[in-house]
Amino acid sequence: MQTCIFPGSFDPITKGHVDIIERAARIFSRVIVAILCNSEKTPCFDLVTRRRMIETATAHIPGVVVQDFEGLLVDFLRQSDCRVVLRGVRGAQDLPYEQQIGAVNQHLMPEMETVVLMSKPEYSIISSTLIRELIGYKADLSLYVPQPVIDMIYVGE
Ligand code: PNS
């Protein structure tokens, strides 16, 4: 059974993330969505909320497991007995960063590989940073964020 780990902050999960997970689930029998828990950064959404958002947005995709991790990604890979990291790339602007973290991860764990999927064009402009800014203005998120996640963001409004 081939497993990949899709790490990220997911603050919050977007339609772009969901698309990458859906496509990865056709290639891998298990996709572990791994939420980075960074004690030095304060996310917009706490870990429990981000996990609920991801579980809700990916409930229709078979083989998806949601977990969180703290520390080095390669340590989480080893703990999970997995060698493949999945990343989504929206365009050329994402490549230097992905090349950098991919090379560092492979230096720390030579047997690992990074698999990169290209975002669909309609999702290539989406970022969680942009979504967080729109949330501050209570803007319409429907093009960028799955509806059940929007309902969790704008709860009670
Ligand atoms: O989606 P993001 O927020 O850009 O994801 C970044 C992530 C989680 C892949 C990266 O920050 C990470 O792997 N952090 C864990 C710490 C680590 O392993 N650092 C060394 C490689 S950069």
Side-chain angles (χ1 to χ4, degrees):
M1 179 159 123
Q2 183 67 272
T3 300
C4 71
I5 289 182
F6 185 43
S9 308
F10 305 106
D11 189 29
I13 189 166
T14 68
K15 285 188 175 181
H17 292 129
V18 174
D19 173 57
I20 296 289
I21 298 166
E22 282 172 348
R23 288 159 55 203
R26 291 187 216 127
I27 304 169
F28 296 94
S29 45
R30 197 164 60 127
V31 179
I32 301 176
V33 181
I35 313 167
L36 174 67
C37 175
N38 184 346
S39 45
E40 281 166 26
K41 274 193 188 169
T42 309
C44 182
F45 297 100
D46 65 30
L47 191 59
V48 173
T49 306
R50 280 182 284 158
R51 177 189 271 270
R52 275 181 37 231
M53 287 171 167
I54 298 168
E55 284 170 350
T56 305
T58 61
H60 62 290
I61 313 171
V64 175
V65 178
V66 185
Q67 294 185 351
D68 54 80
F69 75 105
E70 204 168 354
L72 283 177
L73 178 58
V74 291
D75 289 337
F76 183 68
L77 282 171
R78 290 195 183 97
Q79 273 169 38
S80 312
D81 199 21
C82 177
R83 290 188 299 119
V84 182
V85 168
L86 168 72
R87 294 288 287 170
V89 166
R90 289 164 297 183
Q93 74 281 4
D94 285 343
L95 284 176
Y97 178 61
E98 294 307 326
Q99 192 178 21
Q100 192 180 28
I101 63 171
V104 170
N105 285 331
Q106 206 169 47
H107 174 227
L108 297 172
M109 183 179 170
E111 67 274 29
M112 69 80 66
E113 288 293 346
T114 303
V115 170
V116 170
L117 293 185
M118 297 298 301
S119 296
K120 283 188 183 158
E122 61 265 42
Y123 300 136
S124 64
I125 54 145
I126 304 178
S127 72
S128 294
T129 309
L130 180 89
I131 305 298
R132 290 196 297 275
E133 183 167 349
L134 291 175
I135 292 169
Y137 294 102
K138 299 190 177 11
D140 176 15
L141 306 176
S142 53
L143 278 180
Y144 314 118
V145 179
Q147 190 57 49
V149 177
I150 298 176
D151 296 341
M152 293 165 88
I153 292 172
Y154 291 145
V155 65
E157 291 183 21

